[in-house]
C-alpha cells in the first residue's frame, strides 16, 4: 500500500482488520510493526476510528518491560492486533514463533536493506498474508523495491542478484526502460498520489 502521506494508509488497514473481525467469530491475531515513534499515533487512530478493535502495544513505551518480555503467543490470541516496533521485533522471540493472520509493516522502507537484522527478522515472521505500507517504495535505488517485495511476495522478483541483472538490462532499453518492471509489480501495489491541494503537504 504505497499511497502518499496523508491519504489514509492507516485507515485502510484498520478497515481491513475490522472486516476480518466481523467475518470471523475468533480471528487469528495480526501483527503490526512500526517505527517506535509511530506507536502512539497508531493507538490514537485505533481509539478514534476503530474502538472495537482490541489491540495491544507490545513495547516498553506502552507496557511495563517485564510484561513485554513475558508476552506470549497465547496472550496475543486475546487481541485482534499486536503492535510493536522494529527494534522490539529483534528482542522478543515470541513474534517469530507466533502464527499471525496478517503481518503489516508500517514505513516498510525500514526493510530496504536486505542484510539488516530487522529486515531478516521481519521476513522470518509467519503469516497468512503480508502487507507493506510505505509512501516511498523506492528511496535510493530499485533494490529498495526488491527488498519490500521479497517480504510481501518472495520470489516474484527473483533473488537480489537476479533482480540486479534484470534491472541493469532494463536500464539499457531506449524506450520506457522500466515499463516491464512497472507492469510486473502493478497488480500488487495500491498507489494513490496527492492531487487535492487541501491534503497535508510534506
Amino acid at each position: 500500500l504505497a499511497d502518499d502521506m496523508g491519504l489514509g494508509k492507516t485507515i485502510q488497514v484498520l478497515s481491513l482488520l475490522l472486516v476480518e473481525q466481523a467475518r470471523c467469530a475468533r480471528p487469528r491475531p495480526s501483527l503490526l510493526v512500526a517505527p517506535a515513534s509511530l506507536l502512539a499515533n497508531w493507538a490514537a487512530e485505533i481509539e478514534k476510528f476503530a474502538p472495537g478493535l482490541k489491540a495491544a502495544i507490545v513495547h516498553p513505551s506502552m507496557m511495563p518491560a517485564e510484561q513485554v518480555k513475558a508476552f506470549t503467543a497465547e496472550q496475543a490470541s486475546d487481541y485482534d492486533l499486536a503492535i510493536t516496533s522494529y527494534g522490539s521485533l529483534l528482542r522478543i522471540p515470541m513474534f517469530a514463533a507466533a502464527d499471525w493472520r496478517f503481518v503489516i509493516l508500517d514505513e516498510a522502507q525500514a526493510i530496504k536493506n536486505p542484510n539488516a537484522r530487522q529486515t531478516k527478522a521481519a521476513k522470518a515472521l509467519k503469516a497468512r498474508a503480508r502487507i507493506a505500507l510505505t509512501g516511498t517504495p523506492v528511496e535510493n535505488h530499485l533494490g529498495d523495491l526488491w527488498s519490500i517485495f521479497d517480504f510481501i511476495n518472495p520470489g516474484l522478483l527473483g533473488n537480489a542478484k537476479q533482480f540486479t541483472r534484470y534491472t541493469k538490462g532494463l536500464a539499457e532499453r531506449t524506450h520506457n526502460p522500466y515499463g516491464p518492471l512497472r507492469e510486473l509489480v502493478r497488480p500488487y501495489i495500491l498507489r494513490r498520489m496527492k492531487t487535492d491541494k487541501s491534503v497535508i503537504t510534506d
Side-chain angles (χ1 to χ4, degrees), residues 55-111:
I57 300 184
V58 189
H59 188 266
S61 65
M62 300 280 191
M63 183 184 282
E66 304 77 36
Q67 287 185 30
V68 171
K69 289 178 183 175
F71 199 81
T72 65
E74 290 74 22
Q75 284 176 283
S77 67
D78 292 333
Y79 295 90
D80 300 306
L81 180 66
I83 303 173
T84 197
S85 69
Y86 287 97
S88 294
L89 197 60
L90 294 170
R91 294 188 291 271
I92 304 171
M94 180 279 299
F95 294 123
D99 189 8
W100 306 100
R101 172 63 183 96
F102 297 108
V103 166
I104 304 144
L105 301 188
D106 191 15
E107 301 293 347
Q109 65 272 16
I111 64 161

Side-chain angles (χ1 to χ4, degrees), residues 3-123:
D3 290 351
D4 278 350
M5 181 181 173
L7 295 184
K9 294 186 291 293
T10 302
I11 301 299
Q12 291 183 71
V13 168
L14 295 179
S15 299
L16 172 66
L17 294 172
L18 287 172
V19 167
E20 185 70 8
Q21 183 191 60
R23 191 180 68 84
C24 304
R26 188 168 172 78
R28 186 183 298 270
S30 294
L31 174 66
L32 173 91
V33 185
S37 60
L38 295 182
L39 299 182
N41 181 67
W42 274 95
E45 298 285 273
I46 290 169
E47 185 177 347
K48 182 175 182 179
F49 297 109
L53 204 64
K54 195 174 179 188
I57 300 184
V58 189
H59 188 266
S61 65
M62 300 280 191
M63 183 184 282
E66 304 77 36
Q67 287 185 30
V68 171
K69 289 178 183 175
F71 199 81
T72 65
E74 290 74 22
Q75 284 176 283
S77 67
D78 292 333
Y79 295 90
D80 300 306
L81 180 66
I83 303 173
T84 197
S85 69
Y86 287 97
S88 294
L89 197 60
L90 294 170
R91 294 188 291 271
I92 304 171
M94 180 279 299
F95 294 123
D99 189 8
W100 306 100
R101 172 63 183 96
F102 297 108
V103 166
I104 304 144
L105 301 188
D106 191 15
E107 301 293 347
Q109 65 272 16
I111 64 161
K112 66 185 179 183
N113 179 355
N115 297 315
R117 288 177 62 224
Q118 68 186 26
T119 301
K120 292 176 180 177
K123 292 179 180 181

Side-chain angles (χ1 to χ4, degrees), residues 113-193:
N113 179 355
N115 297 315
R117 288 177 62 224
Q118 68 186 26
T119 301
K120 292 176 180 177
K123 292 179 180 181
L125 295 168
K126 294 177 287 199
R128 304 286 178 89
R130 294 175 169 188
I131 301 169
L133 312 180
T134 176
T136 50
V138 178
E139 279 194 321
N140 300 317
H141 52 75
L142 286 172
D144 302 349
L145 185 71
W146 176 85
S147 190
I148 292 173
F149 266 85
D150 192 48
F151 167 76
I152 59 171
N153 201 331
L156 179 73
L157 300 182
N159 62 37
K161 288 183 180 178
Q162 290 168 332
F163 181 72
T164 299
R165 284 198 301 270
Y166 174 63
T167 54
K168 278 183 179 176
L170 293 180
E172 294 167 3
R173 290 163 44 104
T174 53
H175 174 68
N176 190 20
Y178 295 103
L181 176 60
R182 192 174 294 112
E183 291 304 311
L184 181 60
V185 300
R186 189 190 306 274
Y188 305 94
I189 299 179
L190 296 177
R191 176 72 164 162
R192 293 179 301 163
M193 308 291 285

